[in-house]
Amino acid sequence: MNELLISRYQNLAAYSRWANRRLYVAAAALSDTQYRADRGAFFGSVHGTLNHLLVTDRIWMRRITGMGEAPDRLDAILFDTLPELETARYLEDVRIVDFVGTLSGWVLRADLHYSNSSGQKFHQPLANVLDHLFNHQTHHRGQVHCLLSGFLGNAATPSLDLIQFQRETGLARTEAT
């Protein structure tokens, strides 16, 4: 059972890296005006939402590992240009994939003790925290995807479906007829 759970998080980390890459390629097709346009998303624009995703991943990875930067605001703009943000996103994805590659069953079951941005203290199993980390990424990537679709159209906006990742990477295979 532990191997299955560990494999699940390794697959989710790989999926997130794959989906982020596809999202950034699509975002690069936007004009700077489109990229920064406040379209009413929770973090306003593609730029604001992509920054938020990096901010929260850094916060959670700091809580989990005790290392790295942890911005103090969820709406912080860490990087002002898409290329800078893309480089930082790539490095954070590598960090997450590498971390998940070190997991063991006992680590996943162990409680993580942390404080939220208001200073309130919590503890919960690391597995639950990782569930949140990957779900949160998917939630906000979906918002960016919607913004991109509005600018580029559906045909120019890539699929971010987990099943598409699984098919492309061999985790789902076609059956011989």
Side-chain angles (χ1 to χ4, degrees):
M1 183 61 160
N2 284 341
E3 294 83 24
L4 183 61
L5 194 56
I6 292 166
S7 175
R8 175 180 173 222
Y9 291 115
Q10 290 170 343
N11 289 335
L12 287 171
Y15 162 72
S16 289
R17 179 173 53 186
W18 172 88
N20 286 334
R21 179 71 192 126
R22 292 170 72 95
L23 206 60
Y24 275 83
V25 168
L30 298 176
S31 70
D32 191 61
T33 300
Q34 291 170 322
Y35 174 68
R36 295 174 189 285
D38 187 336
R39 302 289 290 214
F42 197 81
F43 291 93
S45 62
V46 171
H47 178 66
T49 306
L50 291 177
N51 266 282
H52 170 72
L53 274 167
L54 183 60
V55 163
T56 55
D57 285 353
R58 285 183 171 183
I59 289 170
W60 278 110
M61 289 303 290
R62 171 66 183 226
R63 289 172 181 164
I64 293 167
T65 68
M67 296 181 294
E69 298 176 37
D72 59 358
R73 289 185 13 250
L74 296 176
D75 63 349
I77 300 298
L78 301 177
F79 297 94
D80 199 45
T81 69
L82 182 61
E84 292 172 313
L85 187 57
E86 183 174 17
T87 298
R89 173 76 269 166
Y90 170 82
L91 293 172
E92 196 66 25
D93 286 339
V94 167
R95 180 179 178 211
I96 293 168
V97 167
D98 288 350
F99 170 75
V100 170
T102 69
L103 291 175
S104 65
W106 70 269
V107 169
L108 285 170
R109 289 188 302 275
D111 270 359
L112 176 69
H113 296 261
Y114 64 92
S115 298
N116 69 6
S117 55
S118 300
Q120 189 173 5
K121 295 184 183 295
F122 295 90
H123 65 93
Q124 64 189 104
L126 178 60
N128 292 355
V129 171
L130 292 175
D131 288 341
H132 167 73
L133 176 84
F134 293 120
N135 184 67
H136 181 262
Q137 289 177 356
T138 299
H139 167 70
H140 285 296
R141 270 194 308 264
Q143 291 177 335
V144 173
H145 190 275
C146 183
L147 295 171
L148 290 172
S149 295
F151 288 122
L152 303 174
N154 289 338
T157 308
S159 171
L160 301 181
D161 285 344
L162 179 60
I163 195 73
Q164 183 68 31
F165 165 76
Q166 293 167 340
R167 291 173 180 162
E168 287 184 15
T169 59
L171 295 172
R173 294 169 297 284
T174 58
E175 292 188 19
T177 53

